[in-house]
Amino acid sequence: MNTTENTKTAQLLQEHLLDYVAYTLTSAKGLYREPHSYGPMRMIDSMEKALNLLKEAGIQDEALEEGLAAVRNARWKAMTEPDEFGKAMDESILNLVDITVNK
């Protein structure tokens, strides 16, 4: 990658980081007035955005992606089936523990 490409990549990452910070801040602002179930969904969305930033920076872990599949697939159940959402979060947490221990 040449200097121009590095500069463009850095600028793009900086722009996306600003978007992430703005999303996180406005989510925090809205949470105290939103339904209780929105909190976990916003946290999952924030996690997704952080992982996308890492991907754009060239950092990606397939095991991590697979480990988070359960919670990604169940994110909308936070509002309608909170116990199922909780089980999906537990599954993803256990997957992350396994990934961490085995690294």
Side-chain angles (χ1 to χ4, degrees), residues 59-100:
I59 302 168
Q60 186 169 355
D61 185 326
E62 199 58 41
L64 177 61
E65 297 291 327
E66 290 173 15
L68 297 172
V71 76
R72 284 176 164 149
N73 294 333
R75 75 169 11 121
W76 297 108
K77 290 184 178 183
M79 292 174 40
T80 58
E81 300 174 66
D83 290 339
E84 291 301 312
F85 181 68
K87 289 177 187 175
M89 285 193 296
D90 288 342
E91 182 180 338
S92 286
I93 289 167
L94 289 174
N95 288 341
L96 291 178
V97 168
D98 188 49
I99 290 166
T100 302

Side-chain angles (χ1 to χ4, degrees), residues 11-101:
Q11 288 172 339
L12 184 61
L13 283 172
Q14 185 175 9
E15 182 180 315
H16 289 179
L17 180 60
L18 179 60
D19 289 345
Y20 173 72
V21 169
Y23 172 81
T24 304
L25 183 59
T26 57
S27 291
K29 168 67 175 155
L31 279 176
Y32 75 94
R33 292 183 184 213
E34 292 178 337
H36 178 71
S37 60
Y38 282 24
M41 289 175 20
R42 289 219 187 242
M43 293 297 296
I44 300 303
D45 287 344
S46 184
M47 175 194 72
E48 291 287 356
K49 290 178 181 301
L51 290 172
N52 285 334
L53 281 171
L54 289 172
K55 281 182 200 173
E56 289 177 19
I59 302 168
Q60 186 169 355
D61 185 326
E62 199 58 41
L64 177 61
E65 297 291 327
E66 290 173 15
L68 297 172
V71 76
R72 284 176 164 149
N73 294 333
R75 75 169 11 121
W76 297 108
K77 290 184 178 183
M79 292 174 40
T80 58
E81 300 174 66
D83 290 339
E84 291 301 312
F85 181 68
K87 289 177 187 175
M89 285 193 296
D90 288 342
E91 182 180 338
S92 286
I93 289 167
L94 289 174
N95 288 341
L96 291 178
V97 168
D98 188 49
I99 290 166
T100 302
V101 169

